[in-house]
Amino acid sequence: FELLGTGGNQVAPWTEDHARFLGPDLRSMLYRTPEELDAILRSDPPEMRSRLSIALEDHTYSARVSQILSNLGMSLRGA
C-alpha cells in the first residue's frame, strides 16, 4: 500500500486480494500469465498517470495514531 499511497503505479500478479482491494484501478495493472506481464512491461499506457497526492493528504502516521487513540478513548497531549 505504500507504493499506492505515494502516488505510484503498480504492476502485480493478479490475486483475489489485489482485485478486491484495488478494484477497477487504472493505475494498477494485474497480470495472470508471463505473456500478460511481458505485454504490460512493453506498453506505455497514457492512462497510467500518477495518483494525486491530495487524495492521500489525510493518510499520515499522525492521523493513523490519532484515530487509533480516539478509538481507544484516548488522545495525544497537545494535539
Side-chain angles (χ1 to χ4, degrees), residues 30-55:
L30 305 179
Y31 63 89
R32 294 177 188 248
T33 66
E35 293 78 22
E36 286 181 354
L37 174 60
D38 185 59
I40 290 169
L41 295 177
R42 293 177 186 277
S43 69
D44 185 19
E47 68 273 8
M48 290 284 287
R49 289 182 228 106
S50 293
R51 292 169 169 73
L52 297 175
S53 60
I54 192 168

Side-chain angles (χ1 to χ4, degrees), residues 10 13 15-16 21 23 29 34 39-40 43 47 56 58 60 65 73-74:
Q10 176 175 320
T15 66
E16 288 184 24
F21 290 121
M29 301 182 80
I40 290 169
S43 69
E47 68 273 8
L56 300 166
D58 291 333
T60 64
V65 168
M74 304 167 73

Side-chain angles (χ1 to χ4, degrees), residues 1-10 25-28 48-57:
F1 290 106
E2 287 82 4
L3 175 64
L4 305 179
T6 60
N9 298 316
Q10 176 175 320
D25 181 2
L26 295 177
R27 291 170 184 87
S28 298
M48 290 284 287
R49 289 182 228 106
S50 293
R51 292 169 169 73
L52 297 175
S53 60
I54 192 168
L56 300 166
E57 66 185 10

